[in-house]
Amino acid sequence: MERFVDVAPGTRLWVEESGAPDAPALLLVMGAQASGLGWPDELVEPLAASFRVIRYDHRDTGRSTWTFDEQPYPLTALAGDAVRVLDALGVERAHLVGMSLGGMLVQLIVADRPERVLSATLIGTGALSSVPYEHPDGTRTPAEELPGVSPGLLEMWARPVEDRGPEAELERRVEHWRVLGGDRIPFDAAYAREQESRIIAHTGHHHAGTAHARADASGMDRTEALARTRVPTLVVSAPAEPVYPPPHAHHIAQAVHGARLVAIAGMGHALPREVHAPLAAAILDHAGRS
């Protein structure tokens, strides 16, 4: 079932629900500039067998309102949007699953609105914490000195995004997913192309969004709140992650009180077919325990 939810004056978000309406709610929070359809149907379906799964388009993505140039907002506003989606659907508490920027938004909600969270699953993201990372040998690395984005991805992000038409934009997105996926799982260009073609059709245009890259990213540190949270938290460790490479997942698990880790073999910063089954199993197990 699809609907639109008003989250701020002049701002509406596209929202879709799957699964039994009386099942526990599970909210999927996607990354920067990513439509809710970035959560593949093949991943949503097994989750919807047990939960009321909710996915949505952030502001300036998909069918939601694109107004950043007229009404700029900080990244923290996107966490508020997620809570307002739950409000509009009458959901008091939900299991939250966030990927990339979505994982940071989930951390904000865990820290600021823990009463709304049944459990949290964090994928391909970094800790909103300044605590140092403690290595197995006991040495420590300051959070700001943990490994950064891979050089190949940085080079790609440095290129200006020019509108050269729908086909060129589709090819750019496919190549982007090739790099994001890492080097462990063979890249399926046809699958990536199919997914992005569907997202472009869903959005109604092919234009690349840049709002989240330009939004104010200040005020997101939640070191103390995450260190004392009681929200059951699962951190997905992806060995081929090029955006938040190891040991970022282990750092999150140290920064968030009581968090536990699960590794998904071969996973990078993408959701190819090969990770759907193990990722769904990990989410279902964690939410079920909670």
Side-chain angles (χ1 to χ4, degrees):
M1 181 177 71
E2 300 179 29
R3 62 184 291 182
F4 286 89
V5 168
D6 293 316
V7 295
T11 302
R12 309 187 112 188
L13 305 187
W14 173 87
V15 179
E16 179 196 68
E17 296 181 73
S18 305
D22 59 348
L26 189 152
L27 180 69
L28 299 174
V29 187
M30 241 303 147
Q33 301 304 154
S35 159
L37 295 191
W39 298 101
D41 288 351
E42 299 93 335
L43 177 60
V44 171
E45 288 166 5
L47 300 178
S50 300
F51 293 95
R52 176 188 179 188
V53 178
I54 304 161
R55 59 181 173 177
Y56 68 100
D57 291 339
H58 291 298
R59 305 184 194 197
D60 292 277
T61 74
R63 293 184 188 172
S64 293
T65 306
W66 291 52
T67 58
F68 183 82
D69 290 333
E70 294 77 32
Q71 297 175 298
Y73 48 83
L75 287 180
T76 52
L78 300 180
D81 288 352
V83 174
R84 291 184 189 96
V85 167
L86 297 180
D87 291 341
L89 300 184
V91 176
E92 183 177 347
R93 301 180 74 197
H95 300 281
L96 306 185
V97 180
M99 181 165 185
S100 195
L101 173 62
M104 294 183 178
L105 301 180
V106 168
Q107 290 177 70
L108 288 174
I109 300 169
V110 165
D112 300 344
R113 301 297 305 275
E115 76 281 2
R116 307 300 299 270
V117 189
L118 290 168
S119 75
T121 299
L122 308 176
I123 307 165
T125 192
L128 297 186
S129 173
S130 59
V131 299
Y133 168 64
E134 184 171 335
H135 297 264
D137 64 3
T139 59
R140 295 188 172 194
T141 297
E144 63 273 15
E145 294 180 15
L146 290 175
V149 179
S150 72
L153 198 50
L154 284 176
E155 189 277 329
M156 178 173 283
W157 288 351
R159 301 175 197 165
V161 178
E162 301 174 350
D163 186 353
R164 293 182 289 128
E167 186 61 27
E169 172 61 17
L170 184 56
E171 291 303 320
R172 185 192 69 81
R173 296 188 190 189
V174 170
E175 183 58 25
H176 190 208
W177 284 119
R178 183 191 301 277
V179 179
L180 284 171
D183 57 4
R184 307 284 181 89
I185 295 174
F187 181 64
D188 187 341
Y191 178 72
R193 186 181 182 87
E194 175 187 334
Q195 290 293 100
E196 284 300 324
S197 294
R198 184 171 174 233
I199 289 170
I200 288 172
H202 164 78
T203 303
H205 62 78
H206 67 278
H207 306 300
T210 61
H212 300 164
R214 293 182 286 139
D216 180 3
S218 64
M220 295 181 69
D221 185 279
R222 294 295 187 276
T223 300
E224 294 183 6
L226 293 175
R228 64 174 184 263
T229 185
R230 297 294 183 217
V231 173
T233 301
L234 178 69
V235 183
V236 173
S237 173
E241 170 67 59
V243 181
Y244 294 98
H248 276 277
H250 289 75
H251 179 231
I252 300 173
Q254 292 176 2
V256 179
H257 179 265
R260 62 189 186 89
L261 277 164
V262 63
I264 304 295
M267 187 173 179
H269 197 80
L271 298 172
R273 287 192 177 100
E274 290 83 352
V275 308
H276 294 168
L279 184 56
I283 295 169
L284 289 168
D285 175 69
H286 178 60
R289 292 186 188 201
S290 304

